[in-house]
Amino acid sequence: MELGIRGKVALVAAASKGLGKATALALAEEGCAVAVAARGAADLERAAEEIRQATGATVLAVSADVSRAADCKALISRVRAELGPVEILVNNAGGPPPGTFTDVSDEDWLAAFQLNLMSAVRLTRLVLPEMRARRWGRIINITSLAVKQPIPKSGDKAILLKKGSSARIRPGQKELETVPYDHAEYHELWPLTNGVDELSEKVEFVPPAAPQPFELFRSDEKLFLMPERQNLILEKPLPVDINKPGRCERYTPQHRPLVAAGKKVNSYLLFFNQEGPKNWKNYRKLTGQITFSKPILGVIGHYQKLKDTDAIVGIEGFDYPVFMQREKDRGLDNRNAGADEQMAHDVITISPDRKTLSFEISSGPWIDQFRVIVQAN
């Protein structure tokens, strides 16, 4: 699975075994540099080495008791010094000793709050300023099934979260607000967390996940924007068709602009997949725009370059379709020299600051596609 987090720095608490260790392994498999923390140094280092051997990732083991404020502060400082600022934080901790309500002492309650609640509060407070400054961050809080279903002799975690609710902070706000889980809320957030600041109404974002068949995304009125590789460092120059601001409606395969090797990039595929009857004369004119958070480095519209770059910046193992096996129908349509202005062709315009891409697409019955390469953080 390609989650677009390759190269990010992740910290997982209580990661010497169980769910924490599994989470750290999954993040390492996605290409993160992972810091793992737990109280038992021997078990923690053993888990870290297993993850290194399994993934080849950088794994930093830091022995820490997250129920202690000083340990939390030292943990974040160590990760920052050796890996960089924490970009993904997974708050996780073991449960308190079991007991009935009347059996649990004041000391037990306070210890449970320090371990399960205050550890998350402190670690979040320590990483949040840098996440805000970078305009990117993920904080995942793992707690017990007791949140949704009471468990005998385990009462503390149920008050930490309320079933069906979460918290958020909007830009400019200082206070957290509680909101219900709502698919629409997350649907609106996906583009922002994947480097897309704004979409016009004619563009629909495909949430990053395991690759879905193109046939699930069909519309006569919209283009779909699908994130592909994220934070990829190019090992060699990448051929594109358009790499300068301005309007482009004609290019040739012989025109060979390049995105330089060593650049860190995100790639996105835009595609039109007609929903109605496949009529060769049924052209539709779609116009709209996309604003990215970073500059556009290039646009790939020629079918051969699309094919050649699938394995470099495309989703690994994904089968990119063509219409009736006609590869030439996959990319953008050039305006032929001397052709009438009314003839069907595609126009791409890149804004002077290179962040906004505008399109005028004449789409037929096939799956039109073009790829946008954007500078990564």
Side-chain angles (χ1 to χ4, degrees), residues 232-308:
L232 172 70
I233 298 176
L234 296 176
E235 295 181 356
K236 57 184 180 180
L238 184 75
V240 297
D241 293 303
I242 306 167
N243 70 336
K244 295 180 179 179
R247 178 184 173 95
C248 182
E249 54 187 317
R250 187 169 187 272
Y251 55 85
T252 66
Q254 290 72 36
H255 181 52
R256 296 180 178 275
L258 299 170
V259 177
K263 286 282 188 181
K264 191 175 183 181
V265 303
N266 298 333
S267 64
Y268 306 84
L269 190 77
L270 281 105
F271 62 92
F272 171 80
N273 191 11
Q274 185 173 310
E275 187 172 24
K278 301 294 192 272
N279 185 338
W280 287 96
K281 296 181 179 180
N282 188 19
Y283 278 91
R284 295 175 182 273
K285 194 78 169 181
L286 296 178
T287 61
Q289 66 180 34
I290 305 159
T291 299
F292 296 93
S293 59
K294 295 292 182 180
I296 297 167
L297 301 178
V299 177
I300 302 170
H302 189 266
Y303 72 91
Q304 187 61 52
K305 287 182 185 175
L306 283 169
K307 180 180 179 181
D308 292 344

Side-chain angles (χ1 to χ4, degrees), residues 66-67 72 91 93 113-123:
V66 294
S67 68
C72 289
N91 287 313
F113 271 84
Q114 291 293 333
L115 179 64
N116 295 124
L117 175 62
M118 291 309 299
S119 64
V121 170
R122 289 169 179 143
L123 291 174

Side-chain angles (χ1 to χ4, degrees), residues 134-155:
R134 296 163 70 92
R135 296 188 64 194
W136 199 98
R138 302 289 186 275
I139 300 173
I140 300 97
N141 297 313
I142 298 177
T143 186
S144 168
L145 179 64
V147 170
K148 293 188 175 183
Q149 176 63 51
I151 297 174
K153 299 185 178 181
S154 179

Side-chain angles (χ1 to χ4, degrees), residues 15-16 21 34 36 42-55 57-62:
S16 62
K21 180 181 175 182
V34 181
V36 291
D43 287 344
L44 181 65
E45 183 53 50
R46 186 160 44 248
E49 183 58 27
E50 288 177 8
I51 295 171
R52 292 186 197 107
Q53 293 295 327
T55 66
T58 298
V59 183
L60 172 67
V62 183

Side-chain angles (χ1 to χ4, degrees), residues 7 25 138 230:
L25 174 62
R138 302 289 186 275
Q230 304 284 288

